Amino acid sequence: MSTPADTAALPTGQDVAEFLGQGQDSTVLALAAEHVPIVTAMARSYTRGNGFVTGMVADDIAAVITTATARLVTNPAGTVSESPDASYSIRYGQFAGWTLAETFVLNRYRKRAQ
């Protein structure tokens, strides 16, 4: 595949932590570093590798990876709400999918069956 016109290095845990305004927080950095490769793999799979070149990715896909990872880092357990007395909480899976805006970006790179 040819190199995307506007490319960036693959996002890192540090990029995500900086995006969240917590670039010095070692807990956030560690969590982000664990989540970035997973979200990157899902984005690469969704686009069937389009927009990715060794160590580089299209700028807009890098933004998707950063924002999706930030969601996971800020709520890794997937807790949606807790009862007032904290006797129970409602939890969902860690990754519920791409947001609508992220899907629009990724769909630009996705090859579809014809």
Side-chain angles (χ1 to χ4, degrees):
M1 169 175 169
S2 62
T3 304
D6 297 319
T7 60
L10 288 169
T12 65
Q14 183 69 49
D15 295 329
V16 174
E18 294 291 338
F19 176 76
L20 291 170
Q22 299 179 42
Q24 302 302 315
D25 186 324
S26 61
T27 303
V28 172
L29 285 166
L31 231 114
E34 288 179 24
H35 286 80
V36 166
I38 296 165
V39 175
T40 299
M42 290 189 295
R44 183 180 285 121
S45 178
Y46 189 90
T47 63
R48 296 187 173 105
N50 291 318
F52 290 83
V53 178
T54 307
M56 302 294 286
V57 65
D59 286 343
D60 47 359
I61 296 175
V64 167
I65 293 167
T66 301
T67 57
T69 304
R71 280 198 315 280
L72 288 174
V73 169
T74 58
N75 191 7
T79 302
V80 173
S81 66
E82 221 172 68
S83 67
D85 63 358
S87 62
Y88 70 90
S89 62
I90 300 170
R91 296 180 189 268
Y92 294 92
Q94 285 191 335
F95 187 78
W98 308 110
T99 65
L100 185 59
E102 291 164 352
T103 302
F104 285 149
V105 170
L106 294 175
N107 280 345
R108 290 185 58 220
Y109 296 90
R110 185 173 184 167
K111 287 183 184 175
R112 297 188 183 243
Q114 296 182 11

